Amino acid sequence: MTRNVGSIDRALRIIVGIVLLALVFVGPKTMWGLIGIIPLATALMGNCPLYSIIGVNTCKTK
């Protein structure tokens, strides 16, 4: 699996994922917050399947 998520993109995904997951425990306490698992998982893996489909790569090339 090739990496296609760059460092800034990765950091934003982690922040968004944590904020969305926090909605399950604080605030409106809605289960929609579980959708935060998706950006968090793609950030930790460094690969976004949607980016692969549409041909986007935010990683810097060496």
Side-chain angles (χ1 to χ4, degrees), residues 6-51:
S7 58
I8 294 173
D9 191 6
R10 188 177 234 185
L12 290 173
R13 286 172 184 262
I14 289 173
I15 292 168
V16 168
I18 290 172
V19 168
L20 287 172
L21 281 173
L23 292 177
V24 175
F25 304 105
V26 294
K29 296 183 181 171
T30 176
M31 295 308 284
W32 281 102
L34 292 178
I35 216 138
I37 292 172
I38 296 169
L40 196 56
T42 57
L44 296 176
M45 289 187 311
N47 185 318
C48 177
L50 182 61
Y51 277 10

